Amino acid sequence: MKGRTVKLKEAHRGNGAASVCSIIWDNSGGLLVTASSGDSTAFIHDAVQPAKPAKALRHHREGVTAIALNPTFDTLASGSIDHSVKLYSFPDGEFQSNVTRFTLPIRALAFNKSGSLLAAAGDDDGIKLIATVDSSISRVLKGHNGSVTGLAFDPKNEFLASVDGFGTVTYWELSSGKPVHTLKSVAPNCDSDASRLNFLSWSPDGETLAVPGLKNDIVMYDRDTAEKLFTLKGDHEKPVCFLSWSPNGKYIATSGLDNQVLIWDVDQRQDIDRQKFDERISSLSWKPNANALAVIDVMGKFGVWENPVPSFMRSPTDGAINHQSRAGNGLLLFEEDDKKSSHSGSLDEIMEESHGDSIPVSSKRLRKHSVLDKSDEDSDGFLEQIVSRKKSAKSKEHLRFGGGTEECESSVRNVRPKLQEAFQPGSTPVQVGKRRFLCYNLLGSITTIENEGYSHIEVDFHDTGRGPRVPSMTDYFGFTMAALNENGSIFANPCKSTKSMSTLMYRPFGSWANNSEWSMRFEAEEVKAVALGTGWVAAVTSLNFLRIFTDGGLQRQVLCLDGPVVTATGFRNKLAVVTHASDCFSSGDQNSTHSSRLPLSPGSCLSWFGFSEEGQLCTYDSQGVLRMLTNQYGNSWLPIFSASKAKKSEDENYWMVGINANKLFCVSCKSPNSYPLVMPKPVLILLDLKFPLACSDLGADDLENEFIIRNMHLYQILEKIDENAAAGLDTTTLDDEAFDMESAIDRCILRLISTCCNADKLVRATELARLLSMDKSVKGAIKLVTTLKLPILAERFNEILEERLLNESKGVSNNSSVMDVNKAVVISNLSSSQVFANAEASKKDKNGEHEENKERKELCGNRSNEAEKSQAATMPFSKMSNNHDRTEKVIKATEKELNKKSSKEEEKQLPVKGGGTGNSSSIEVVNQKHCQRPINPFAKSSNKLEKSSTSLLDSIKKMKKTDK
């Protein structure tokens, strides 16, 4: 398989058995319509906002077997096992009328290029041509012996092609209603399989008819002579059951009984990509404005195959015929010609006047030189005469289908994807008669339910012991948005009418004064989004104004935004607002900004926006990708979680609630639900943050992810240290956190080195060794590779250690401050121990303490030589976290004894100017160096500490035994 596996989600449950399912795009590529013969409900799905509930069309009593969209995409037709054909307005899905009824189930539907005719067929004897303007039966085409399973109008409006369950294909001439070509048993026989229908489709230029062949292939037939032109033979192991042309006709997608979908280059006569699915794909539909293919299987699960045509090849939409639109079941249609008929009278009279008797076809392309060259004028003309039966109906037709006017044609051509509407993070859609969430976060929730013209609002906290319960509130304003934090809640409502005003109301949870609630009213503008922070309230309005208030109600500031708001969020003294930077792209992608471009997955929309518990700004889109904003790489967004890799099943999706440094808090929802209900109470689940890494040849994705995550956290800690230091605050606790994080990163690196050695990735192991922060960790790595009998690698690790010790002994200067250099540690992966030594040396040189610095260098050299003679020891990886507290006590107790002995030895050995032993002032210089950082739990300088710790090699051996 060349492409990435397409993941499907459930649209129709059916009865658990294989069913005929259908799927089609609208012209903008923003909506998908699905139906199943095992489900009486058809659905209109929002492809741009998958989390948005699908619109259900519940008007059939039995399964829906066929769907079709007319060329102007304002009417949807559906056929059912209940023998009826129904029309709906599109995209709102409002029922319009029952077009016709059959005596047996419907199997196929298709609109002609102008939308004035709807062809319907099934198990009955005959194909009905229905005039959509008045639902009259214009003609019944009879000739098939079996159930008609596929219909396709010729884009040039000369022919209707049909295929039945026995594999017989017929060309019907629209002008005469007679069959001009009949190809018997050219398609597979599917009469005995109710879950499978034969299908055919015209190429976009109308020159070729594609039909499934008898040898697991696709056969192309000539438009005029019905002669076999060529076949597409590839890797289908069983018969082809469905096919769909790309918008430009260069490619064709086919599904087979072997559960495969193949993409063909028609010109090259070969397949260029394929996907294997768990179930047979029942229907396919190319996205009209992008390189994407919608699929639905026989179990009612659908999805979108992104980029089925490789990027280096011509796009499936490049060079598509102008004014081309897509109708039901993959039929390619065109807008109605801007012509008016001058005929009048009955349909039969029109036939005689226009064409007379049927003209036989005797040679290839003969019709190109016949009177039927006027088909665009005449055949559309006789269809338009149906309108003359009812003048009022004609007027209605003119308005509804455009009547060929430039205004309507322009409106069809200029349809664009809609911008995402403003929303509140943690809110759920309106559900009639049910309670919904106005706000749901890690602190608590705000719910509302409408009752007899007003609403009832309740505020609940997850931790019921945090304080007194907040009394419920009767809402007479109809609040539709809210935000919640520790101090209070903010509510707002849009304008209900031109006379009403939008209201903003703040309710504090505790105040020293009475009547601390306040509200604001807005004339000629309405609130679109609200946010809360420490001591402030914000509201974004329809005039693109950002209004900021104090929590007491003082209006502090009014700012102008550069586009319509999408959402807003607050955290302490931070406020983040997302606005649309421009209109939607033609692909349907949103273009949003907060102070820079906001990245979103292709074809997705923003579904959650907020801060982590540590104050990092995060986004979550409808494709399930969580991103975090960081300054680590120049104000960039990091993808720290992907739902597609975390989901346990295809029908599972996650509704975002919040995030902290290590975990994602969300609610698991089962398809088709994309958000939780208030009752039963949602259950929060915790998921680990994971970068969407590629599949490594090491098979150590978890370790690599841990390494990246911990480096990200280290950078965040160092940023806080900078901020506190600049504010003159104590940074001791943060220093300890930074040291602990560096230690954890070293442990992770050592495990990665071990994995690299086992996989014979020695260059990568060397790169990892250079990233170790502590000298003792490098020595542990040397011992590891020596035991694994990798002398060349051990030699390189020794060179790294020698280079590091040499730099420390030389006291390399650096003009940056300690914390600035440490930020460089995260980005450039330098040694942290080297950084502190260099920074200390730099400080000493600046203060002019050259003699003391020289003595300290000599002492560092002596201590380094002694350290090289002793062997490094670390705690076992598997026990590091479990025995952390106990180990800390042992190390601290041991360090006290070691410090005493070390101090005495250094006092004796430390040279001074007078030539005697060291004095108290020289000892202080050594102690100052050791006090720069917390004690290294890896470090040891005596045999007593070595005995109290397990060696790295022993821990690895124990891990291998445990794995066995």
Side-chain angles (χ1 to χ4, degrees):
M1 187 184 302
K2 300 177 184 178
R4 188 165 61 101
T5 303
V6 181
K7 295 188 176 181
L8 307 181
K9 62 179 181 179
E10 186 175 72
H12 304 272
R13 293 187 181 276
N15 52 13
S19 305
V20 174
C21 297
S22 307
I23 189 167
I24 50 177
W25 287 99
D26 74 331
N27 66 324
S28 68
L31 299 175
L32 277 170
V33 185
T34 63
S36 170
S37 62
D39 187 357
S40 61
T41 303
F43 290 100
I44 302 175
H45 307 267
D46 192 326
V48 178
Q49 303 182 51
K52 189 176 180 179
K55 190 169 297 180
L57 310 180
R58 310 179 189 274
H59 293 275
H60 285 289
R61 298 193 308 271
E62 297 184 64
V64 180
T65 52
I67 50 177
L69 274 170
N70 75 338
T72 54
F73 293 89
D74 60 0
T75 303
L76 172 69
S78 65
S80 169
I81 298 175
D82 64 10
H83 313 166
S84 67
V85 177
K86 301 179 185 293
L87 290 183
Y88 310 84
S89 59
F90 189 82
D92 52 33
E94 294 295 327
F95 174 74
Q96 290 184 339
S97 64
N98 287 305
V99 180
T100 188
R101 289 191 63 84
F102 284 68
T103 59
L104 293 173
I106 314 297
R107 302 295 178 189
L109 294 173
F111 280 100
N112 72 334
K113 72 165 189 176
S114 62
S116 57
L117 277 184
L118 173 65
D123 296 347
D124 273 25
D125 180 20
I127 303 169
K128 291 184 179 181
L129 297 182
I130 306 161
T132 54
V133 64
D134 59 0
S135 298
S136 62
I137 306 299
S138 300
R139 180 165 282 154
V140 177
L141 310 178
K142 293 186 177 182
H144 282 285
N145 295 323
S147 298
V148 177
T149 61
L151 295 170
F153 277 100
D154 160 32
K156 296 184 178 181
N157 213 37
E158 291 182 18
F159 302 116
L160 170 69
S162 61
V163 61
D164 61 28
F166 296 122
T168 299
V169 174
T170 301
Y171 284 39
W172 303 89
E173 189 177 56
L174 292 178
S175 60
S176 64
K178 297 178 181 179
V180 292
H181 299 292
T182 300
L183 309 175
K184 293 186 177 181
S185 301
V186 296
N189 189 327
C190 63
D191 191 58
S192 60
D193 188 353
S195 67
R196 174 185 164 204
L197 300 178
N198 270 332
F199 191 79
L200 41 67
S201 181
W202 291 98
S203 61
D205 60 8
E207 296 297 328
T208 308
L209 180 68
V211 181
L214 299 175
K215 299 180 180 179
N216 308 338
D217 55 1
I218 304 97
V219 184
M220 301 296 180
Y221 294 95
D222 179 69
R223 158 195 176 76
D224 297 314
T225 65
E227 294 176 358
K228 182 178 178 180
L229 298 178
F230 58 90
T231 62
L232 299 179
K233 178 71 175 178
D235 287 344
H236 274 302
E237 300 170 359
K238 294 183 180 180
V240 173
C241 57
F242 200 91
L243 53 89
S244 178
W245 290 88
S246 67
N248 62 0
K250 180 173 177 56
Y251 308 100
I252 193 169
T254 61
S255 65
L257 300 183
D258 55 1
N259 297 359
Q260 286 194 101
V261 172
L262 269 61
I263 308 297
W264 303 81
D265 186 323
V266 179
D267 295 334
Q268 300 297 323
R269 314 283 198 269
Q270 65 181 8
D271 57 302
I272 56 176
D273 204 351
R274 65 186 64 103
Q275 287 279 353
K276 181 81 171 180
F277 294 86
D278 295 333
E279 301 288 346
R280 183 170 80 249
I281 296 301
S282 179
S283 181
L284 308 164
S285 181
W286 286 89
K287 193 170 185 177
N289 54 9
N291 183 11
L293 183 71
V295 301
I296 187 169
D297 66 18
V298 292
M299 303 308 292
K301 294 183 177 180
F302 78 103
V304 177
W305 180 359
E306 300 289 349
N307 302 315
V309 176
S311 58
F312 60 85
M313 299 184 70
R314 181 181 174 185
S315 169
T317 61
D318 185 18
I321 297 175
N322 291 334
H323 311 310
Q324 180 176 310
S325 306
R326 181 171 298 272
N329 297 329
L331 176 65
L332 291 160
L333 301 175
F334 297 75
E335 291 184 7
E336 187 174 3
D337 293 337
D338 193 15
K339 299 177 182 179
K340 294 183 180 180
S341 174
S342 60
H343 298 290
S344 62
S346 67
L347 181 60
D348 293 334
E349 292 173 349
I350 298 166
M351 298 297 182
E352 294 174 0
E353 293 175 8
S354 299
H355 303 291
D357 296 333
S358 176
I359 300 175
V361 180
S362 59
S363 62
K364 190 174 183 177
R365 305 290 183 229
L366 181 59
R367 288 182 177 269
K368 289 184 179 294
H369 308 287
S370 70
V371 69
L372 292 181
D373 273 341
K374 301 178 182 179
S375 60
D376 283 344
E377 178 181 355
D378 294 337
S379 59
D380 263 352
F382 85 79
L383 293 173
E384 289 177 5
Q385 302 317 306
I386 303 169
V387 184
S388 66
R389 297 176 183 175
K390 296 181 181 180
K391 293 183 179 180
S392 59
K394 181 175 182 179
S395 172
K396 180 180 178 182
E397 159 76 358
H398 189 81
L399 293 174
R400 181 175 169 191
F401 293 107
T405 60
E406 295 180 359
E407 292 83 356
C408 291
E409 288 185 358
S410 176
S411 65
V412 173
R413 288 193 294 267
N414 293 332
V415 172
R416 291 187 178 182
K418 294 181 179 179
L419 292 175
Q420 181 180 358
E421 296 180 357
F423 73 96
Q424 282 295 130
S427 64
T428 56
V430 176
Q431 303 171 76
V432 179
K434 293 184 179 180
R435 185 173 291 275
R436 74 180 187 98
F437 290 111
L438 291 179
C439 176
Y440 191 102
N441 57 27
L442 293 178
L443 179 64
S445 65
I446 301 177
T447 60
T448 183
I449 184 172
E450 186 176 352
N451 183 19
E452 297 180 357
Y454 59 89
S455 300
H456 183 73
I457 293 179
E458 292 185 358
V459 179
D460 295 299
F461 298 101
H462 302 316
D463 181 8
T464 56
R466 71 173 299 278
R469 180 179 176 84
V470 178
S472 59
M473 177 179 69
T474 300
D475 170 24
Y476 296 100
F477 297 97
F479 293 129
T480 60
M481 63 198 82
L484 170 73
N485 69 2
E486 298 85 353
N487 303 318
S489 55
I490 186 74
F491 302 88
N493 70 313
C495 299
K496 293 184 178 180
S497 64
T498 55
K499 295 182 179 180
S500 65
M501 290 191 292
S502 184
T503 302
L504 180 73
M505 187 176 76
Y506 177 71
R507 295 182 71 196
F509 294 141
S511 177
W512 58 271
N514 295 326
N515 196 25
S516 54
E517 292 183 7
W518 54 266
S519 62
M520 298 284 171
R521 307 292 294 274
F522 302 95
E523 295 183 5
E525 67 177 313
E526 62 180 2
V527 179
K528 292 292 187 179
V530 294
L532 277 176
T534 303
W536 58 267
V537 174
V540 188
T541 71
S542 56
L543 298 182
N544 298 342
F545 288 166
L546 171 60
R547 298 179 177 273
I548 301 176
F549 310 84
T550 65
D551 55 4
L554 177 65
Q555 301 188 53
R556 288 296 307 273
Q557 194 57 266
V558 181
L559 307 176
C560 291
L561 301 178
D562 56 0
V565 65
V566 180
T567 189
T569 186
F571 177 80
R572 296 178 184 170
N573 62 340
K574 298 178 181 179
L575 168 63
V577 179
V578 180
T579 62
H580 287 290
S582 65
D583 287 340
C584 277
F585 297 118
S586 59
S587 62
D589 293 346
Q590 303 286 331
N591 189 14
S592 303
T593 178
H594 72 292
S595 60
S596 60
R597 296 290 180 183
L598 189 70
L600 295 173
S601 301
S604 69
C605 60
L606 188 64
S607 58
W608 183 86
F609 187 62
F611 289 92
S612 69
E613 291 187 340
E614 292 74 29
Q616 299 294 130
L617 187 62
C618 302
T619 68
Y620 188 75
D621 64 31
S622 56
Q623 295 291 341
V625 178
L626 176 68
R627 296 174 176 85
M628 178 179 288
L629 181 64
T630 177
N631 294 326
Q632 186 173 359
Y633 303 106
N635 204 34
S636 300
W637 291 90
L638 304 180
I640 58 177
F641 176 82
S642 177
S644 61
K645 293 181 177 293
K647 289 193 297 186
K648 297 178 181 178
S649 61
E650 295 297 332
D651 61 348
E652 184 180 25
N653 55 76
Y654 300 120
W655 190 73
M656 185 72 179
V657 175
I659 180 179
N660 64 13
N662 301 301
K663 297 289 183 180
L664 168 70
F665 297 84
C666 59
V667 177
S668 177
C669 301
K670 295 293 183 181
S671 181
N673 295 326
S674 57
Y675 55 86
L677 302 177
V678 176
M679 296 299 294
K681 188 175 182 180
V683 178
L684 284 180
I685 62 173
L686 278 69
L687 300 174
D688 292 327
L689 300 182
K690 287 187 177 181
F691 280 80
L693 301 179
C695 296
S696 172
D697 52 2
L698 283 180
D701 297 353
D702 290 341
L703 282 176
E704 291 177 328
N705 181 77
E706 179 187 347
F707 173 69
I708 298 176
I709 290 285
R710 290 190 183 279
N711 270 288
M712 180 182 71
H713 291 163
L714 176 60
Y715 183 82
Q716 293 171 4
I717 294 171
L718 296 176
E719 273 195 317
K720 291 181 181 178
I721 292 176
D722 268 353
E723 292 175 2
N724 288 6
L729 303 176
D730 181 36
T731 62
T732 304
T733 303
L734 291 174
D735 285 336
D736 293 342
E737 289 182 17
F739 181 80
D740 291 341
M741 188 59 67
E742 287 181 346
S743 301
I745 292 173
D746 272 13
R747 291 196 296 271
C748 180
I749 292 174
L750 288 172
R751 295 170 68 185
L752 279 170
I753 290 175
S754 175
T755 306
C756 288
C757 293
N758 292 332
D760 198 27
K761 303 293 182 182
L762 305 187
V763 174
R764 200 175 308 176
T766 306
E767 293 174 343
L768 288 165
R770 293 187 181 277
L771 301 180
L772 291 166
S773 298
M774 306 176 190
D775 293 346
K776 288 296 183 181
S777 299
V778 180
K779 293 175 183 178
I782 294 172
K783 183 176 181 181
L784 170 65
V785 297
T786 301
T787 307
L788 294 176
K789 298 181 180 180
L790 298 171
I792 297 178
L793 195 59
E795 182 179 350
R796 287 191 174 274
F797 284 9
N798 270 312
E799 291 175 358
I800 293 172
L801 180 61
E802 289 174 1
E803 180 183 353
R804 182 174 297 188
L805 294 175
L806 181 62
N807 289 338
E808 289 180 359
S809 64
K810 288 180 179 180
V812 180
S813 299
N814 194 311
N815 293 330
S816 300
S817 66
V818 175
M819 286 300 105
D820 287 339
V821 179
N822 267 281
K823 285 203 284 188
V825 172
V826 180
I827 298 174
S828 59
N829 297 312
L830 298 174
S831 163
S832 62
S833 57
Q834 174 185 345
V835 169
F836 274 94
N838 294 346
E840 183 65 25
S842 177
K843 287 182 179 180
K844 290 292 184 180
D845 289 339
K846 288 180 180 179
N847 294 331
E849 300 176 3
H850 299 291
E851 290 300 325
E852 289 183 347
N853 192 35
K854 182 178 180 181
E855 294 171 358
R856 187 171 61 80
K857 292 177 188 175
E858 294 174 358
L859 179 60
C860 288
N862 294 335
R863 291 178 61 83
S864 297
N865 292 332
E866 292 177 4
E868 287 179 352
K869 295 178 183 178
S870 63
Q871 294 182 347
T874 61
M875 294 181 66
F877 301 131
S878 59
K879 298 182 179 180
M880 186 67 71
S881 59
N882 296 334
N883 301 329
H884 179 73
D885 296 336
R886 180 165 54 84
T887 306
E888 284 293 331
K889 294 179 181 178
V890 174
I891 291 176
K892 287 180 180 178
T894 308
E895 286 291 345
K896 288 181 180 179
E897 297 179 5
L898 293 175
N899 287 337
K900 291 179 181 179
K901 293 182 180 181
S902 177
S903 297
K904 291 179 180 179
E905 292 175 359
E906 291 167 356
E907 188 175 352
K908 294 178 182 179
Q909 297 176 4
L910 187 63
V912 294
K913 292 181 180 180
T917 59
N919 53 29
S920 60
S921 61
S922 61
I923 292 175
E924 285 181 2
V925 174
V926 177
N927 289 338
Q928 286 176 6
K929 180 190 174 188
H930 285 290
C931 292
Q932 294 299 318
R933 305 199 58 158
I935 297 173
N936 182 356
F938 285 104
K940 66 181 183 66
S941 55
S942 70
N943 294 331
K944 183 178 292 186
L945 180 60
E946 185 175 4
K947 292 179 181 179
S948 65
S949 302
T950 308
S951 70
L952 174 65
L953 181 61
D954 292 339
S955 66
I956 294 174
K957 289 180 179 179
K958 288 181 180 180
M959 292 172 64
K960 289 184 176 180
K961 289 180 180 179
T962 304
D963 293 338
K964 292 180 180 178

